[in-house]
mmCIF file with all atom_site columns, all heavy atoms in Angstrom:
data_model
loop_
_atom_site.group_PDB
_atom_site.id
_atom_site.type_symbol
_atom_site.label_atom_id
_atom_site.label_alt_id
_atom_site.label_comp_id
_atom_site.label_asym_id
_atom_site.label_entity_id
_atom_site.label_seq_id
_atom_site.pdbx_PDB_ins_code
_atom_site.Cartn_x
_atom_site.Cartn_y
_atom_site.Cartn_z
_atom_site.occupancy
_atom_site.B_iso_or_equiv
_atom_site.pdbx_formal_charge
_atom_site.auth_seq_id
_atom_site.auth_comp_id
_atom_site.auth_asym_id
_atom_site.auth_atom_id
_atom_site.pdbx_PDB_model_num
ATOM 1  N N   . VAL A 1 93  ? -69.255 -44.626 -86.353 1.00 95.00 ? 99  VAL A N   1
ATOM 2  C CA  . VAL A 1 93  ? -67.965 -44.161 -85.876 1.00 95.00 ? 99  VAL A CA  1
ATOM 3  C C   . VAL A 1 93  ? -66.933 -44.149 -86.997 1.00 95.00 ? 99  VAL A C   1
ATOM 4  O O   . VAL A 1 93  ? -66.179 -43.178 -87.166 1.00 95.00 ? 99  VAL A O   1
ATOM 5  C CB  . VAL A 1 93  ? -67.479 -45.027 -84.703 1.00 95.00 ? 99  VAL A CB  1
ATOM 6  C CG1 . VAL A 1 93  ? -66.092 -44.564 -84.234 1.00 95.00 ? 99  VAL A CG1 1
ATOM 7  C CG2 . VAL A 1 93  ? -68.466 -44.960 -83.538 1.00 95.00 ? 99  VAL A CG2 1
ATOM 8  N N   . VAL A 1 94  ? -66.863 -45.212 -87.786 1.00 95.00 ? 100 VAL A N   1
ATOM 9  C CA  . VAL A 1 94  ? -65.857 -45.285 -88.850 1.00 95.00 ? 100 VAL A CA  1
ATOM 10 C C   . VAL A 1 94  ? -66.057 -44.174 -89.856 1.00 95.00 ? 100 VAL A C   1
ATOM 11 O O   . VAL A 1 94  ? -65.102 -43.514 -90.301 1.00 95.00 ? 100 VAL A O   1
ATOM 12 C CB  . VAL A 1 94  ? -65.906 -46.666 -89.535 1.00 95.00 ? 100 VAL A CB  1
ATOM 13 C CG1 . VAL A 1 94  ? -65.006 -46.677 -90.771 1.00 95.00 ? 100 VAL A CG1 1
ATOM 14 C CG2 . VAL A 1 94  ? -65.460 -47.751 -88.560 1.00 95.00 ? 100 VAL A CG2 1
ATOM 15 N N   . SER A 1 95  ? -67.318 -43.909 -90.219 1.00 95.00 ? 101 SER A N   1
ATOM 16 C CA  . SER A 1 95  ? -67.608 -42.835 -91.168 1.00 95.00 ? 101 SER A CA  1
ATOM 17 C C   . SER A 1 95  ? -67.139 -41.485 -90.619 1.00 95.00 ? 101 SER A C   1
ATOM 18 O O   . SER A 1 95  ? -66.531 -40.686 -91.344 1.00 95.00 ? 101 SER A O   1
ATOM 19 C CB  . SER A 1 95  ? -69.111 -42.801 -91.469 1.00 95.00 ? 101 SER A CB  1
ATOM 20 O OG  . SER A 1 95  ? -69.423 -41.709 -92.308 1.00 95.00 ? 101 SER A OG  1
ATOM 21 N N   . ALA A 1 96  ? -67.411 -41.249 -89.350 1.00 95.00 ? 102 ALA A N   1
ATOM 22 C CA  . ALA A 1 96  ? -66.974 -39.993 -88.738 1.00 95.00 ? 102 ALA A CA  1
ATOM 23 C C   . ALA A 1 96  ? -65.453 -39.901 -88.705 1.00 95.00 ? 102 ALA A C   1
ATOM 24 O O   . ALA A 1 96  ? -64.876 -38.817 -88.888 1.00 95.00 ? 102 ALA A O   1
ATOM 25 C CB  . ALA A 1 96  ? -67.540 -39.876 -87.328 1.00 95.00 ? 102 ALA A CB  1
ATOM 26 N N   . ALA A 1 97  ? -64.797 -41.034 -88.495 1.00 95.00 ? 103 ALA A N   1
ATOM 27 C CA  . ALA A 1 97  ? -63.336 -41.042 -88.464 1.00 95.00 ? 103 ALA A CA  1
ATOM 28 C C   . ALA A 1 97  ? -62.760 -40.686 -89.828 1.00 95.00 ? 103 ALA A C   1
ATOM 29 O O   . ALA A 1 97  ? -61.766 -39.958 -89.935 1.00 95.00 ? 103 ALA A O   1
ATOM 30 C CB  . ALA A 1 97  ? -62.832 -42.404 -87.997 1.00 95.00 ? 103 ALA A CB  1
ATOM 31 N N   . ARG A 1 98  ? -63.390 -41.233 -90.880 1.00 95.00 ? 104 ARG A N   1
ATOM 32 C CA  . ARG A 1 98  ? -62.907 -40.909 -92.233 1.00 95.00 ? 104 ARG A CA  1
ATOM 33 C C   . ARG A 1 98  ? -63.055 -39.411 -92.513 1.00 95.00 ? 104 ARG A C   1
ATOM 34 O O   . ARG A 1 98  ? -62.174 -38.793 -93.131 1.00 95.00 ? 104 ARG A O   1
ATOM 35 C CB  . ARG A 1 98  ? -63.679 -41.738 -93.259 1.00 95.00 ? 104 ARG A CB  1
ATOM 36 C CG  . ARG A 1 98  ? -63.309 -43.224 -93.283 1.00 95.00 ? 104 ARG A CG  1
ATOM 37 C CD  . ARG A 1 98  ? -63.811 -43.883 -94.540 1.00 95.00 ? 104 ARG A CD  1
ATOM 38 N NE  . ARG A 1 98  ? -63.372 -45.271 -94.624 1.00 95.00 ? 104 ARG A NE  1
ATOM 39 C CZ  . ARG A 1 98  ? -64.136 -46.323 -94.319 1.00 95.00 ? 104 ARG A CZ  1
ATOM 40 N NH1 . ARG A 1 98  ? -65.394 -46.128 -93.914 1.00 95.00 ? 104 ARG A NH1 1
ATOM 41 N NH2 . ARG A 1 98  ? -63.662 -47.541 -94.430 1.00 95.00 ? 104 ARG A NH2 1
ATOM 42 N N   . LYS A 1 99  ? -64.177 -38.842 -92.089 1.00 94.00 ? 105 LYS A N   1
ATOM 43 C CA  . LYS A 1 99  ? -64.387 -37.407 -92.312 1.00 94.00 ? 105 LYS A CA  1
ATOM 44 C C   . LYS A 1 99  ? -63.338 -36.583 -91.565 1.00 94.00 ? 105 LYS A C   1
ATOM 45 O O   . LYS A 1 99  ? -62.861 -35.555 -92.050 1.00 94.00 ? 105 LYS A O   1
ATOM 46 C CB  . LYS A 1 99  ? -65.782 -36.997 -91.859 1.00 94.00 ? 105 LYS A CB  1
ATOM 47 C CG  . LYS A 1 99  ? -66.890 -37.508 -92.758 1.00 94.00 ? 105 LYS A CG  1
ATOM 48 C CD  . LYS A 1 99  ? -68.256 -37.033 -92.252 1.00 94.00 ? 105 LYS A CD  1
ATOM 49 C CE  . LYS A 1 99  ? -69.383 -37.563 -93.138 1.00 94.00 ? 105 LYS A CE  1
ATOM 50 N NZ  . LYS A 1 99  ? -70.716 -37.131 -92.650 1.00 94.00 ? 105 LYS A NZ  1
ATOM 51 N N   . SER A 1 100 ? -62.986 -37.027 -90.361 1.00 91.00 ? 106 SER A N   1
ATOM 52 C CA  . SER A 1 100 ? -61.989 -36.312 -89.560 1.00 91.00 ? 106 SER A CA  1
ATOM 53 C C   . SER A 1 100 ? -60.614 -36.447 -90.187 1.00 91.00 ? 106 SER A C   1
ATOM 54 O O   . SER A 1 100 ? -59.823 -35.494 -90.195 1.00 91.00 ? 106 SER A O   1
ATOM 55 C CB  . SER A 1 100 ? -61.962 -36.863 -88.134 1.00 91.00 ? 106 SER A CB  1
ATOM 56 O OG  . SER A 1 100 ? -60.921 -36.284 -87.387 1.00 91.00 ? 106 SER A OG  1
ATOM 57 N N   . GLY A 1 101 ? -60.327 -37.627 -90.738 1.00 93.00 ? 107 GLY A N   1
ATOM 58 C CA  . GLY A 1 101 ? -59.016 -37.892 -91.319 1.00 93.00 ? 107 GLY A CA  1
ATOM 59 C C   . GLY A 1 101 ? -58.133 -38.644 -90.352 1.00 93.00 ? 107 GLY A C   1
ATOM 60 O O   . GLY A 1 101 ? -57.930 -38.192 -89.221 1.00 93.00 ? 107 GLY A O   1
ATOM 61 N N   . PHE A 1 102 ? -57.627 -39.798 -90.799 1.00 95.00 ? 108 PHE A N   1
ATOM 62 C CA  . PHE A 1 102 ? -56.778 -40.613 -89.927 1.00 95.00 ? 108 PHE A CA  1
ATOM 63 C C   . PHE A 1 102 ? -55.409 -39.945 -89.737 1.00 95.00 ? 108 PHE A C   1
ATOM 64 O O   . PHE A 1 102 ? -54.946 -39.225 -90.640 1.00 95.00 ? 108 PHE A O   1
ATOM 65 C CB  . PHE A 1 102 ? -56.612 -42.008 -90.531 1.00 95.00 ? 108 PHE A CB  1
ATOM 66 C CG  . PHE A 1 102 ? -57.874 -42.818 -90.565 1.00 95.00 ? 108 PHE A CG  1
ATOM 67 C CD1 . PHE A 1 102 ? -58.527 -43.051 -91.771 1.00 95.00 ? 108 PHE A CD1 1
ATOM 68 C CD2 . PHE A 1 102 ? -58.423 -43.319 -89.394 1.00 95.00 ? 108 PHE A CD2 1
ATOM 69 C CE1 . PHE A 1 102 ? -59.696 -43.794 -91.821 1.00 95.00 ? 108 PHE A CE1 1
ATOM 70 C CE2 . PHE A 1 102 ? -59.595 -44.070 -89.433 1.00 95.00 ? 108 PHE A CE2 1
ATOM 71 C CZ  . PHE A 1 102 ? -60.244 -44.301 -90.651 1.00 95.00 ? 108 PHE A CZ  1
ATOM 72 N N   . PRO A 1 103 ? -54.754 -40.192 -88.605 1.00 95.00 ? 109 PRO A N   1
ATOM 73 C CA  . PRO A 1 103 ? -55.186 -40.989 -87.452 1.00 95.00 ? 109 PRO A CA  1
ATOM 74 C C   . PRO A 1 103 ? -56.183 -40.216 -86.581 1.00 95.00 ? 109 PRO A C   1
ATOM 75 O O   . PRO A 1 103 ? -56.218 -38.977 -86.620 1.00 95.00 ? 109 PRO A O   1
ATOM 76 C CB  . PRO A 1 103 ? -53.892 -41.243 -86.692 1.00 95.00 ? 109 PRO A CB  1
ATOM 77 C CG  . PRO A 1 103 ? -53.040 -40.053 -87.004 1.00 95.00 ? 109 PRO A CG  1
ATOM 78 C CD  . PRO A 1 103 ? -53.372 -39.664 -88.414 1.00 95.00 ? 109 PRO A CD  1
ATOM 79 N N   . VAL A 1 104 ? -56.973 -40.965 -85.786 1.00 94.00 ? 110 VAL A N   1
ATOM 80 C CA  . VAL A 1 104 ? -58.005 -40.346 -84.949 1.00 94.00 ? 110 VAL A CA  1
ATOM 81 C C   . VAL A 1 104 ? -57.913 -40.879 -83.525 1.00 94.00 ? 110 VAL A C   1
ATOM 82 O O   . VAL A 1 104 ? -57.214 -41.854 -83.242 1.00 94.00 ? 110 VAL A O   1
ATOM 83 C CB  . VAL A 1 104 ? -59.416 -40.625 -85.511 1.00 94.00 ? 110 VAL A CB  1
ATOM 84 C CG1 . VAL A 1 104 ? -59.599 -40.007 -86.889 1.00 94.00 ? 110 VAL A CG1 1
ATOM 85 C CG2 . VAL A 1 104 ? -59.704 -42.119 -85.523 1.00 94.00 ? 110 VAL A CG2 1
#
Side-chain angles (χ1 to χ4, degrees):
V99 178
V100 172
S101 176
R104 287 196 175 100
K105 289 181 181 179
S106 174
F108 293 108
V110 297

